[in-house]
Amino acid sequence: MPNLPDLSVQHYRHFLLVAELRSFRAAAARACRSQPALSLSIKEMEHRLGQPLFERGSRVVLTRFGQECLPLARELVEHHNRVAGAMGGLARNEAGLLALASVATVATHWLPELMATYRQQYPGVALRIFDDNSEGVERMVLAGEVELGVCSPVTRDRRLEFEPLLRDAFGLVCHKGHPLAQRKSVTWREIAPLPLVGTVAHRQLAGYPQAAFMMDRQVFVSNMMSLLAMLERGVGVTVLARLGVPPDSPGLVFVPLARPRIERQLGIMRLAGRALSPAAASMQALLRKKAAG
């Protein structure tokens, strides 16, 4: 590649101003520079290009070389303006893309309000929202498919950074007509004989001897919608964190589990050591504010 002239965009701007206004004095005034400073800028440009841009004389007239350079300089400055404007828009959240993955808990309880607030504050940012279980959210963050995830920590992968937002206690979830539905609390021992339906969320119970029976269930459902449909029809019961029960499920009851009280953490998952985009940083701030409230 041949050596390129070391010219700033200001050199090209000054050249365009002189060519447009046909006057070094008027161009200097438009550029808010002194006339000697602007003349020096043009001379530097001519020296580095190796050819004169303007004819020498009392009138400001482009050389043939200057005429051929004029549309190229205009194209470069216009491109610079577009790029600078686009980058500034990204920095100010006037444009860009935010890809976020969330567990169903947050997608149901938080995201509708958060999305409305975010869209109102940053209408130029395109949103891509995915819902999955915590393992799936972690995979999407690791693969770079999303910039932020809202989930519970599962793999403890060192490439991931987790910021806790809240703790959510587990309880028995059953149909409102179930014999235990009116209890203020139940124990893990009491629910062990029940027809419990297993789900991915139960992996967060590993390490608790009292909940060991949840690790090997005859019926396992990975999809939350299917699980909730079964529970609403009285086909078994399950254990979920309190926020795991959608607010629009009047047929289901959450009964806190005690002895011991077991909680899960929900928080923000992101790649460790990576700076967030302005769009993601703004969503992170909204999530923190929502959790604090």
Side-chain angles (χ1 to χ4, degrees):
M1 179 182 293
N3 291 331
L4 298 176
D6 184 17
L7 296 170
S8 70
V9 70
Q10 287 302 110
H11 285 99
Y12 294 97
R13 292 188 190 279
H14 293 160
F15 167 58
L16 291 175
L17 282 173
V18 175
E20 174 189 347
L21 300 174
R22 303 281 177 165
S23 166
F24 278 83
R25 180 179 298 176
R30 181 78 64 84
C32 299
R33 303 286 297 274
S34 67
Q35 185 172 335
L38 187 129
S39 297
L40 178 60
S41 178
I42 296 298
K43 288 179 180 178
E44 287 177 347
M45 189 173 183
E46 291 177 327
H47 175 73
R48 293 172 186 175
L49 289 171
Q51 296 288 340
L53 294 166
F54 296 95
E55 300 286 358
R56 300 298 177 235
S58 58
R59 296 176 59 224
V60 178
V61 178
L62 286 165
T63 62
R64 181 61 180 267
F65 173 71
Q67 293 174 9
E68 293 176 348
C69 288
L70 187 61
L72 298 174
R74 186 174 291 116
E75 180 182 354
L76 184 146
V77 171
E78 289 174 352
H79 179 71
H80 175 273
N81 291 343
R82 286 195 300 271
V83 171
M87 293 177 70
L90 289 171
R92 295 186 299 271
N93 272 353
E94 295 172 356
L97 169 68
L98 171 62
L100 179 145
S102 170
V103 292
T105 294
V106 176
T108 302
H109 289 268
W110 286 15
L111 283 190
E113 179 184 344
L114 283 175
M115 291 300 101
T117 302
Y118 194 92
R119 292 293 297 162
Q120 183 178 15
Q121 295 181 4
Y122 313 108
V125 177
L127 297 174
R128 301 290 183 270
I129 310 299
F130 305 90
D131 64 271
D132 206 332
N133 56 49
S134 289
E135 285 183 323
V137 171
E138 285 192 353
R139 283 196 298 270
M140 282 188 273
V141 174
L142 280 171
E145 297 172 10
V146 298
E147 194 171 359
L148 287 180
V150 184
C151 61
S152 297
V154 179
T155 63
R156 310 290 178 178
D157 193 308
R158 292 185 178 181
R159 294 171 294 173
L160 294 171
E161 179 180 312
F162 179 74
E163 176 187 344
L165 291 178
L166 59 89
R167 303 188 72 88
D168 192 20
F170 283 94
L172 174 71
V173 180
C174 59
H175 188 270
K176 63 181 180 180
H178 193 276
L180 296 178
Q182 303 306 315
R183 293 275 297 273
K184 291 184 177 180
S185 67
V186 291
T187 66
W188 293 91
R189 179 175 295 182
E190 286 178 296
I191 70 167
L194 300 179
L196 288 154
V197 180
T199 184
V200 174
H202 296 157
R203 295 179 187 176
Q204 298 171 66
L205 300 172
Y208 293 92
Q210 298 88 343
F213 59 87
M214 295 296 304
M215 299 298 103
D216 185 24
R217 308 311 305 169
Q218 287 188 320
V219 179
F220 180 91
V221 180
S222 63
N223 183 276
M224 183 59 67
M225 291 183 64
S226 299
L227 174 63
L228 294 174
M230 291 175 60
L231 300 178
E232 287 178 342
R233 287 169 174 77
V235 184
V237 297
T238 194
V239 170
L240 294 174
R242 180 180 293 275
L243 289 177
V245 184
D248 57 349
S249 299
L252 298 181
V253 174
F254 177 90
V255 184
L257 274 160
R259 287 186 277 172
R261 173 186 169 93
I262 302 176
E263 298 176 324
R264 66 168 177 174
Q265 278 190 324
L266 277 174
I268 300 170
M269 193 71 72
R270 53 181 286 194
L271 288 175
R274 299 283 185 89
L276 291 177
S277 69
S282 297
M283 176 56 75
Q284 181 185 54
L286 285 178
L287 286 164
R288 288 170 174 169
K289 183 177 180 180
K290 177 68 176 177

